[in-house]
Amino acid sequence: MTQLPPPKPDINPIDQIPTRPSALKALVVSVATGMLAGLGLLVRKFGPPTMAAIFARNPEVAALLRDSSLMVALEACPGVFGILGVLCGVCGLLSLMRIAPTYHLLRLVLMLIYPVMTAYAVIVWLAISWVVSADLMIDNAAQDNATAIVLWWKLSWPALAIMVYAAWLHAMLRSRCVYAAFTRKAGPPMPGDRVLEDLRTGGRDPRARRSLSMSVAVHVTVLILIPLLLRMQGCVEPYRVPKGSGQPVVAMVQMKIVKKKEKKRTLTLRPNSAIIFEIPDLDDTEIDRLMEEQSQATYQAMVNAKAGMMGDGGGTKGGWPAGMEDYKIRFIRLDHGGPGWDDGMDDSGADINFLRAFADATGFDKIAKEGESHRIALLAKYPDDGFPPFVFLTGERSMGNVSSSDQKILREYCLGGGMLIADAGSAEFDQSFRRFIAQVFPDKPLLDISDDDMLFQLPYGFPNGAPPFWHHGGRRALGIKHEGRWVVFYHPGDMNDAWKSPGYSDVTPEMREQAMQLGINLVYYAFNQWNDAVTKRKK
């Protein structure tokens, strides 16, 4: 019977690490610590000017942080870094003398790095959080939770890297070969030996190695990849209008009023009846009654009511000189966060119905398969030669809470060549929109658009201006002008509802056609202004 050899005892890799002093590793620690002096002095020299330049570009951010006392902490950070760098340089130089006091001095100065860098990272996060909560912009870029994490990482990763660097130096100091080089004492394995060995092998336990790898992967995903993906979701597809040259033919549209037969009424007063002094309501006036009949009128197009080849430049094929051959007509709604902003994007098909009507009337048949929605902030991401000529905004009740940064983006979009087409879905939305647009354009009031304005002339002629429809906020179309160009068109009568498929809104086919033709006029105007703006930018 053969006898099995005795099992070999497990050998701890830590026990195989040499215990003799290592002058080379001690020298590496000293030089690496001294190198922190140069980094600290660079931050001390270039940090304040860089910070001052950032605050000069963003005075609102500087004022906010100054009020919250975070400015003082941020301005003190470069000085603290400089002092800490000098201490590291001095200690690194002294540690060239291999004695126990310099060893403990090195450990002490490295311990100071952790609270200083942690405090800096916390201060930066608090400052960015204040900016996000105040809806301010940094370098003309709107800030949200995703951009806040990315910005924090951008500003804080050097401090975090220095903390990792200091941890590596600490592990080196706490290894027995470096300890022996300074103290001339040998002893059992130290905590630094275990850390360095685990870094080299990934740990003795395979499960621990997998856990470590998983932990690193999760942190990288949460702190870096997810914020980057959130920012990538803000990418937009440039808007392309049809390339070419055209000029539409005016198509006059007549409005046929449906007259109701009324019985002739007589007024009889009793001699002894009391006199009632009552001011009639405005809605009971004769003028209001006539306007109400007009809003319920049937619209009838003339025989020549067919748009010509829409475009600019006087050609016959249609299109715009600044457009693209591979175009696509899109309908973009703005998501303001309030109820009903997407009214018409459902089965009622308002957006796609309008796009189809646009294609039938103009011959530009490359249209989007469905409408799309945007947050207002995305308007800032479009290129100068590919921004949407128009965006549409509506709602059923009050608008959502639109930040001041989004209001600024919408204003710059409109002033830069775009057009906001707004439509009231209710009387409550009308009041909310008027307050909102007054914040976007505090220096430009809503103006009554005259019946003979260019908006109502091409390609369809509206001799009486925009039809009132349901007139939730009045019976006249309003707008805002900038340098002779309409940048905002506001219809208070729910034009969007008239675009919906039959069965989803109480309109006649004639009224629906009238609403489509008015929308085509607005898009034609917006495309012309887009062409002019892009042409100017290319010169």
Side-chain angles (χ1 to χ4, degrees):
M1 185 175 180
T2 58
Q3 185 176 3
L4 296 175
K8 296 181 179 179
D10 293 335
I11 299 176
N12 192 337
I14 300 297
D15 297 332
Q16 297 180 340
I17 296 177
T19 59
R20 61 182 182 274
S22 176
L24 178 60
K25 291 184 178 180
L27 179 62
V28 169
V29 172
S30 299
V31 174
T33 305
M35 290 174 61
L36 290 172
L39 183 61
L41 292 176
L42 285 175
V43 174
R44 178 67 184 87
K45 180 177 180 180
F46 296 105
T50 303
M51 189 179 301
I54 294 175
F55 291 139
R57 297 194 305 268
N58 304 275
E60 294 180 351
V61 174
L64 175 68
L65 298 182
R66 192 174 293 109
D67 294 340
S68 64
S69 301
L70 288 173
M71 179 72 80
V72 177
L74 286 172
E75 291 176 342
C77 285
V80 174
F81 293 159
I83 294 173
L84 185 60
V86 171
L87 288 176
C88 289
V90 172
C91 292
L93 184 63
L94 293 176
S95 65
L96 294 176
M97 296 184 295
R98 306 285 183 257
I99 55 178
T102 59
Y103 173 83
H104 295 294
L105 192 61
L106 273 180
R107 289 190 59 194
L108 178 61
V109 73
L110 291 176
M111 286 293 294
L112 293 176
I113 291 177
Y114 304 117
V116 171
M117 299 303 165
T118 302
Y120 168 75
V122 171
I123 292 171
V124 170
W125 176 253
L126 291 176
I128 296 174
S129 299
W130 271 79
V131 172
V132 172
S133 62
D135 290 331
L136 297 181
M137 301 180 70
I138 298 179
D139 291 338
N140 295 322
Q143 302 300 312
D144 52 25
N145 292 333
T147 58
I149 295 177
V150 174
L151 181 59
W152 176 82
W153 173 258
K154 181 179 179 180
L155 297 175
S156 301
W157 75 263
L160 301 179
I162 291 176
M163 290 177 64
V164 174
Y165 184 78
W168 169 70
L169 289 177
H170 241 123
M172 292 285 290
L173 278 174
R174 295 291 288 165
S175 62
R176 58 181 177 179
C177 60
V178 175
Y179 178 79
F182 279 92
T183 62
R184 303 296 188 272
K185 296 180 181 178
M190 301 179 69
D193 296 313
R194 165 59 66 186
V195 172
L196 294 174
E197 184 64 19
D198 287 345
L199 289 176
R200 186 180 68 84
T201 63
R204 297 182 62 188
D205 188 353
R207 290 176 298 178
R209 289 198 296 268
R210 288 195 298 268
S211 298
L212 179 62
S213 302
M214 182 62 68
S215 177
V216 172
V218 169
H219 281 80
V220 170
T221 301
V222 172
L223 296 179
I224 301 177
L225 296 182
I226 290 181
L228 289 177
L229 290 175
L230 289 175
R231 295 192 68 185
M232 289 177 64
Q233 287 182 353
C235 296
V236 294
E237 177 188 355
Y239 199 109
R240 304 302 185 191
V241 304
K243 186 175 181 60
S245 179
Q247 185 174 1
V249 177
V250 178
M252 295 301 295
V253 179
Q254 292 179 334
M255 183 175 66
K256 180 181 178 182
I257 306 297
V258 178
K259 295 184 178 180
K260 298 180 180 179
K261 294 183 179 180
E262 295 185 1
K263 296 181 180 180
K264 188 175 182 180
R265 298 180 180 180
T266 59
L267 182 62
T268 303
L269 297 177
R270 290 188 292 111
N272 298 327
S273 62
I275 299 175
I276 300 175
F277 296 92
E278 181 180 358
I279 300 175
D281 187 26
L282 291 177
D283 290 337
D284 297 331
T285 63
E286 182 68 16
I287 295 177
D288 185 81
R289 186 180 64 82
L290 292 175
M291 293 301 296
E292 184 70 20
E293 291 180 359
Q294 290 185 8
S295 68
Q296 298 174 356
T298 298
Y299 297 94
Q300 182 179 25
M302 294 179 63
V303 178
N304 68 334
K306 180 180 180 182
M309 293 307 296
M310 181 182 292
D312 192 22
T316 59
K317 295 183 178 180
W320 287 263
M324 298 289 291
E325 297 290 349
D326 186 18
Y327 69 89
K328 182 170 67 173
I329 308 297
R330 298 152 59 192
F331 192 96
I332 299 175
R333 288 176 179 256
L334 292 184
D335 178 2
H336 53 76
W341 68 266
D342 56 349
D343 180 41
M345 297 187 72
D346 53 9
D347 294 338
S348 62
D351 298 1
I352 190 61
N353 288 343
F354 175 76
L355 288 176
R356 288 169 180 166
F358 181 89
D360 292 340
T362 64
F364 299 126
D365 55 356
K366 295 181 181 180
I367 60 174
K369 296 182 179 180
E370 57 185 359
E372 56 188 288
S373 62
H374 276 4
R375 291 180 293 108
I376 296 177
L378 291 183
L379 293 177
K381 296 183 177 295
Y382 278 94
D384 290 343
D385 61 346
F387 61 90
F390 72 95
V391 289
F392 186 79
L393 185 146
T394 189
E396 294 178 350
R397 293 193 294 276
S398 296
M399 293 183 59
N401 184 22
V402 181
S403 66
S404 59
S405 59
D406 282 352
Q407 293 175 13
K408 184 177 180 181
I409 290 174
L410 180 59
R411 176 185 174 91
E412 292 177 349
Y413 160 77
C414 291
L415 299 183
M419 183 179 184
L420 172 65
I421 301 176
D423 193 40
S426 68
E428 185 178 351
F429 177 84
D430 171 73
Q431 297 298 320
S432 177
F433 174 77
R434 290 174 186 265
R435 292 190 298 268
F436 165 73
I437 206 65
Q439 295 173 341
V440 177
F441 295 97
D443 55 336
K444 299 180 183 297
L446 280 170
L447 304 175
D448 184 278
I449 303 177
S450 61
D451 293 347
D452 60 348
D453 191 89
M454 185 61 67
L455 289 172
F456 306 131
Q457 295 183 21
L458 293 172
Y460 294 96
F462 292 84
N464 299 319
F469 298 123
W470 290 272
H471 50 79
H472 294 307
R475 298 176 175 86
R476 298 289 301 179
L478 306 174
I480 291 178
K481 260 190 174 181
H482 173 69
E483 296 181 351
R485 176 179 67 88
W486 292 110
V487 297
V488 175
F489 176 88
Y490 176 52
H491 195 295
D494 206 356
M495 177 175 56
N496 170 74
D497 215 32
W499 290 344
K500 296 178 181 178
S501 300
Y504 288 91
S505 60
D506 186 19
V507 296
T508 64
E510 293 79 11
M511 290 177 66
R512 182 173 291 106
E513 181 181 7
Q514 184 78 356
M516 294 294 185
Q517 291 168 349
L518 177 59
I520 292 171
N521 274 26
L522 298 175
V523 172
Y524 166 71
Y525 181 88
F527 279 11
N528 282 342
Q529 304 306 316
W530 177 93
N531 183 77
D532 293 343
V534 173
T535 302
K536 290 179 181 178
R537 292 178 182 179
K538 289 182 177 180
K539 289 183 178 180

